[in-house]
Each structure stands twice: as structure tokens, then as C-alpha cells.
């Protein structure tokens, strides 16, 4: 599948950081940066754009802030061949903390929001656009939003100047059929805009749903190295690049950085297909309950977790 | 997705046994049997049907043979509510070793073959049918078969009395688009026959490709508990039953047997998504090279494996 409009955004540091509070050292981030650059990936989402007042630096690593000095240290003397993206959450970034794009190595700001925050997300995205950034709005947890509310939200987004809108399967609940239906709806309701996909792997469908998205005409594709990301993780970048078969992509640098930097993390933290995440995906639930189970000493007591989740749903 | 014709065949003992030479104790096999029965799964593929002369019992466990006494010991006093299936490989079973179905608790024999063995497979399947068994032919490694040869093979199968023919993605190389194309071809060339799917998970697509198969009208669906199977493993039974949402299915007994019997094996052997299996899938190669890598002390040297595989392909 080759289409020149397709862009791949690797979110390893940003989404993977949700599993370790962004405690990646510079060696890790630099290796990811170099690997993605050599592989021809279009964007590296290097973290969240947050105000220093919103979080404590002793608790979260530098990639929760994406301060300019930290970004520059990763680039070093090299010529920057990949675009940098950072995600901004509503309420965790002060408008005044966003410097003009001309004074930053950051190229894109992606605003994450729930459906009830769309107005605030548009305002923040417009602010970033006016400062010179590429922008997207990533509408999260769409699997829990009813059709009337979703169509209203999409209509509001259609009226905005934000050029790229993401379909986000936050809970890993979607099957291919959901993707097809929603991709069609997004395209109808958002004429002239580019659509993106961000999938989670609770049901081992993140890659498959990303392929379905490509077939439906979605052009901005999120992925992470070896699927590293919150809970069950994401669409693996190495699988996505192998599928896309665009001559500009090269898988080998990804394999190398997985070997050197991702596999050691795989020994320390559990993302990927585990039954608690699977149950959460099937039940269309936020992964926090499954993550708490996985971090506890009850991680293998999956029948107990299943019973808790299904009885809670029945109440 | 509900369709009464759909049947689920759990192959945990048979395909999972390829990872440990069928060294499952009775407690394991009985727990799988009881879990699948309670879950409403239609068939349990409990192993291979082989002649005792073809393999040594000290090297492979009892499920390489499926001797009647072993099967009866698993059932014990319980009422058998699930059908038993066994796989037969061409050349490893003597016709005389197959007892009449009336004298066996085995319900179905599935004959696995490569495209050049179709004539022999039909003869063996007919022999089993004449002895009273349900039969299928599972045409393996279709991803390596050219279109002319495949159509000729399918035409031969169409003329046979074998009612169920399987599309087998032995190398985990297929995308959803391949499944759609092949499902259509199988249905056109095999009028009146039931089609089955057996997928491998090298590219995290086994479940997705099984869903695509269901949408295309394929009705016999292979899966294994927690995906346990050769190399990257298979479509996970717990995901498949959750998707099918047929009221006859119940996921909880599967979660319980995964907790009690499969997770301990997960500590001992590596099936699932690993880069060597992924590379094999992308390159449409037999998993033996990746399995050798995974069993060696070089299992994490994935760049070296990638280089070997890609340079071998270039020669």
C-alpha cells in the first residue's frame, strides 16, 4: 500500500512514557530519534507539552514537558531530518508557555481532548497554529461517544481551522467494521480535512485497524516501536513500515533500536497483549483498572479480574 | 457477528504442542478439555494422529499419536460435550492404524498437506470418511503457491468428497486483503464446500484475519488459548469467542484455564509476537529459522537475524 500522502508518526517516547512516567534517559531518546530518522519515519512524537507548574520534575521525566533545551540536547550536532511533535492536554499547558514555532525545533502540536472539550481543544490548536505550528486534534475515547454527540463534535471540528483530526481508539475496543464506519463518518463530516488514526492493541487489532484505516483513506498513522505504549500498547512501527512498502522507509534501523533500547525496557515493564488489557478492550473500558491489576501482585489472577470487571459492568 | 454455521476449533494441544513436543501432562489436557467444553467451543484438536512407528514416545508426548486410551483417560467419567479432532500428516499415519470411528471418541480427522500432496491428502481423507469420521483438508503454506497451481489444486479438491477445506496461513504472511482475495477464490472454486481458516500471528494479524474470514463467509475458525502455537502462535480463542458474541459461548472458562495452565507455560516457552517471527512473516518464510533463533542464545540479537534473513533472500 503506497500513497504519498501517508505520514507515519512514531509515539514511542510519548505513549510509551505513560508506562514509566517518561523516565527515559537521553541515550534512549537519542537512539529512538536516530533510528526513526534513518528509517524515514515522518514525525517523532517526543512527549507532552506541559507547563512546568502542572507536574513535578522529580516525578515525571523531561518528556512530560518537551522543554526546548531538552529537545536541542537530543538533536545535538546532527542535521534534523524528522519532524518533532508534542501532545498537549487541555488544562495542562499555559498559552504563554508555548513559544513561537520559529524559536523552537518542535514542528507540530497535537491537542488531545474528550468530546466535551472540543471547544477548548480548538482554541488551543488555533493558538498553536497562530504561533506557527502544524496542529492536529486527537479526539479520544470515541468508542464511548454516542452518535449524536459525535456528529455534533465533528461538525464543530469541521468549522475549525485545524487541518488534521484523529480517530482515537483509546480503549482498544474497535473492530475493523467500527473503523470502516467511523472513517466514513469522519470523512463525510470533515470535508477537506486529513484524518489520522491512533489505535490501541488490547484485542491485538491495533495494526489491523491501522491497515483498515489506510484502506479507508486515513493518511496520518500513529505507531510505536515494538508497540510500546499505555496498557496493551499501540500499532508497532516496524509492522506498519513493512506493510506500507514505501521506498522511503527502511525497517532495519527500527529493528536495531528495538534490540538496543526497547527490549531492555520489555524486561522491566509490561505492555502488550495481557488478559486484563484484553478484558478492558472487549468491555470498552479505560485501561486504568487493568493497569492497576498489572502493577499489583495479582497480575496473574486474571479470573478474579475478569469477575470484577464483568460484575461491575452488570451493576 | 453471529452465524449458526460458524464452528470454532481450538488447537491449543495440537499447535501449542509444536512448541514443546506435546509434553503436556494429563492435568493440562484435561483442564483444556473442561475449559473448552464449558466455554461452548465446538471442537478440541487434541493432537496429531500418527503411527507409533513414525515417532518415538520418549521424544514426543502422547498427543503426537492420539491413541484411544489416552483420549479416554482425558474424558474420564465426564459426559463428552465437545467434539475431538486430530490432525494427520501425509506419510506419518498408516491407513490400518486408523480404527473405525464407531470404536473411537475421535470425531474428526483433519489432513494437512502441501499443494503437491493434494492427491494423497484426498485419498487419506476419503479413507477416514469411509471409516466414519468428519474430515477436512488443510492446505498449508498457501502464501507460497502461485495462482495457476493453487487453482488446479482447488479444482482437484472440488472433485473430492471432502466437505471442508482450510485456507492456512502457515507463515503469518497474509494481510486482510489477501484473505479477502483467497476466500473469494476458495468459494468460487469449491462450490458447496465449507471453508475454514487457520492463521498465524507473525504480524499480529491472526485474529484480524480470522475476523476478515468470518466477514467473507468462512465458517470453520481455528484458534488456540492465549494464541499458544508454533512460532508467533495463532488467533487467540478468548478473543475470537468475545468477538463472535454467540450466546452459546462463554469466555470465563477460557480465562480460568489460561490462568491455571497456559500462563505457567508462558514462563517456559516463547510463542507470540517476537521480531524473528515478525521478520519471517513479512518475508513469507517458514518459521524454522526464527524458531532456531528464538531457541538459541541469540534470541535478542534481532538485527543479526534480520540481516541474515534479508541477505539470504537477496541471493
Amino acid at each position: 500500500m503506497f500513497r504519498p500522502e501517508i505520514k507515519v508518526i512514531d509515539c514511542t517516547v510519548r505513549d510509551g512514557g505513560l508506562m514509566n512516567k517518561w523516565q527515559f534517559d537521553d541515550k534512549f531518546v537519542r537512539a529512538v530519534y536516530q533510528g526513526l530518522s534513518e528509517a524515514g519515519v515522518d514525525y517523532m512524537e517526543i512527549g507532552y507539552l506541559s507547563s512546568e507548574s502542572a507536574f513535578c520534575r522529580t516525578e515525571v521525566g523531561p518528556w512530560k514537558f518537551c522543554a526546548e533545551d531538552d529537545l536541542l540536547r537530543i538533536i545535538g550536532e546532527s542535521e534534523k531530518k524528522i519532524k518533532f511533535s508534542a501532545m498537549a492536554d487541555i488544562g495542562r499547558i499555559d498559552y504563554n508557555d508555548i513559544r513561537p514555532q520559529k524559536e523552537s525545533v518542535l514542528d507540530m502540536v497535537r491537542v488531545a481532548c474528550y468530546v466535551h472539550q472540543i471547544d477548548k481543544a480548538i482554541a488551543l490548536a488555533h493558538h498553536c497554529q497562530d504561533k506557527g505550528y502544524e496542529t492536529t486534534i486527537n479526539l479520544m475515547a470515541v468508542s464511548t461517544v454516542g452518535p449524536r454527540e459525535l456528529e455534533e463534535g465533528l461538525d464543530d471540528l469541521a468549522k475549525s481551522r485545524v487541518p488534521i483530526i484523529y480517530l482515537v481508539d483509546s480503549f482498544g475496543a474497535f473492530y475493523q467494521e467500527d473503523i470502516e464506519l467511523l472513517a466514513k463518518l469522519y470523512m463525510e463530516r470533515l470535508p477537506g480535512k486529513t484524518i489520522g488514526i491512533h489505535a490501541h492493541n488490547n484485542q491485538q487489532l491495533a495494526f489491523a485497524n491501522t491497515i483498515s484505516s489506510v484502506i479507508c483513506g486515513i493518511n496520518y498513522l500513529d505507531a510505536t516501536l515494538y508497540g510500546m505504549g499505555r496498557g496493551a500498547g499501540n500499532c508497532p512501527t516496524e509492522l506498519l513500515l513493512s506493510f506500507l512498502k514505501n521506498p522511503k522507509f527502511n525497517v532495519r534501523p527500527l529493528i536495531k533500536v528495538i534490540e538496543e533500547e526497547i527490549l531492555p525496557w520489555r524486561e522491566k515493564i509490561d505492555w502488550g497483549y495481557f488478559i486484563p488489557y484484553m478484558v478492558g478492550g472487549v468491555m470498552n473500558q479505560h485501561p486504568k483498572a487493568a493497569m492497576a491489576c498489572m502493577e499489583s501482585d495479582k497480575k496473574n489472577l486474571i479470573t478474579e479480574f475478569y469477575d470484577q470487571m464483568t460484575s461491575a459492568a452488570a451493576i
Side-chain angles (χ1 to χ4, degrees), chain A:
Chain A
M1 178 66 70
F2 173 67
R3 196 160 63 217
E5 297 86 353
I6 288 175
K7 305 289 178 196
V8 173
I9 293 86
D10 182 278
C11 310
T12 305
V13 178
R14 200 269 307 162
D15 210 319
L18 288 162
M19 296 300 281
N20 70 352
K21 296 191 176 173
W22 304 275
Q23 302 292 352
F24 296 117
D25 60 19
D26 280 7
K27 175 173 167 286
F28 178 97
V29 180
R30 197 172 290 121
V32 171
Y33 163 71
Q34 287 168 347
L36 296 176
S37 301
E38 287 171 29
V41 171
D42 301 282
Y43 292 83
M44 171 177 180
E45 188 153 88
I46 196 163
Y48 281 92
L49 197 62
S50 315
S51 293
E52 298 278 345
S53 58
F55 298 95
C56 174
R57 273 216 181 226
T58 55
E59 282 174 26
V60 296
W63 313 106
K64 186 69 178 175
F65 305 101
C66 287
E68 197 66 22
D69 286 351
D70 292 317
L71 300 176
L72 287 169
R73 210 173 56 245
I74 295 307
I75 299 169
E77 301 298 310
S78 68
E79 185 196 349
K80 180 167 164 282
K81 289 181 184 168
I82 190 169
K83 288 186 176 181
F84 277 165
S85 159
M87 182 160 273
D89 278 338
I90 308 287
R92 288 171 181 168
I93 178 77
D94 192 300
Y95 279 27
N96 297 322
D97 287 342
I98 303 168
R99 63 170 71 197
Q101 197 279 325
K102 278 187 183 165
E103 299 168 17
S104 174
V105 289
L106 206 58
D107 300 277
M108 183 160 74
V109 178
R110 307 205 303 170
V111 179
C113 73
Y114 292 104
V115 70
H116 67 276
Q117 299 171 316
I118 282 181
D119 286 351
K120 286 180 180 168
I122 292 172
L124 176 54
H126 282 173
H127 177 81
C128 293
Q129 257 181 302
D130 292 340
K131 284 194 165 168
Y133 294 95
E134 300 176 34
T135 58
T136 77
I137 287 181
N138 294 27
L139 182 55
M140 299 184 290
V142 177
S143 56
T144 64
V145 179
R148 183 197 55 76
E149 202 175 14
L150 180 57
E151 293 192 11
E152 278 183 23
L154 294 177
D155 288 348
D156 288 342
L157 290 165
K159 290 177 217 145
S160 78
R161 287 186 279 123
V162 183
I164 304 163
I165 309 296
Y166 263 79
L167 169 55
V168 184
D169 182 15
S170 304
F171 302 161
F174 285 145
Y175 297 112
Q176 292 103 301
E177 294 154 297
D178 300 301
I179 297 292
E180 286 165 20
L181 189 143
L182 287 168
K184 190 161 170 274
L185 178 70
Y186 275 52
M187 295 207 189
E188 281 170 6
R189 293 275 169 166
L190 299 168
K193 297 207 189 287
T194 295
I195 313 297
I197 180 76
H198 181 90
H200 277 275
N201 210 23
N202 301 61
Q203 300 192 70
Q204 299 195 1
L205 293 174
F207 178 42
N209 285 345
T210 304
I211 294 178
S212 295
S213 299
V214 170
I215 293 168
C216 292
I218 286 179
N219 279 332
Y220 270 57
L221 313 177
D222 282 14
T224 61
L225 290 165
Y226 213 45
M228 186 185 198
R230 177 148 72 170
N234 304 93
C235 169
T237 312
E238 67 279 10
L239 283 174
L240 183 58
L241 259 58
S242 298
F243 169 75
L244 289 170
K245 293 180 175 62
N246 182 329
K248 81 174 178 179
F249 293 135
N250 180 10
V251 174
R252 190 183 187 278
L254 304 183
I255 304 289
K256 189 160 174 281
V257 64
I258 290 170
E259 175 177 327
E260 293 172 359
E261 299 294 340
I262 307 289
L263 293 185
W265 273 107
R266 198 72 193 75
E267 302 292 318
K268 287 183 270 185
I269 52 177
D270 288 323
W271 71 89
Y273 182 70
F274 292 92
I275 294 295
Y277 297 137
M278 170 261 178
V279 172
V282 168
M283 297 190 66
N284 192 16
Q285 297 287 319
H286 192 285
K288 61 190 170 196
M291 288 176 74
C293 170
M294 289 293 295
E295 286 162 15
S296 75
D297 55 5
K298 292 187 168 184
K299 125 182 184 183
N300 284 340
L301 301 184
I302 54 180
T303 313
E304 184 180 314
F305 181 78
Y306 178 86
D307 287 343
Q308 282 169 2
M309 292 288 280
T310 49
S311 65
I315 289 166

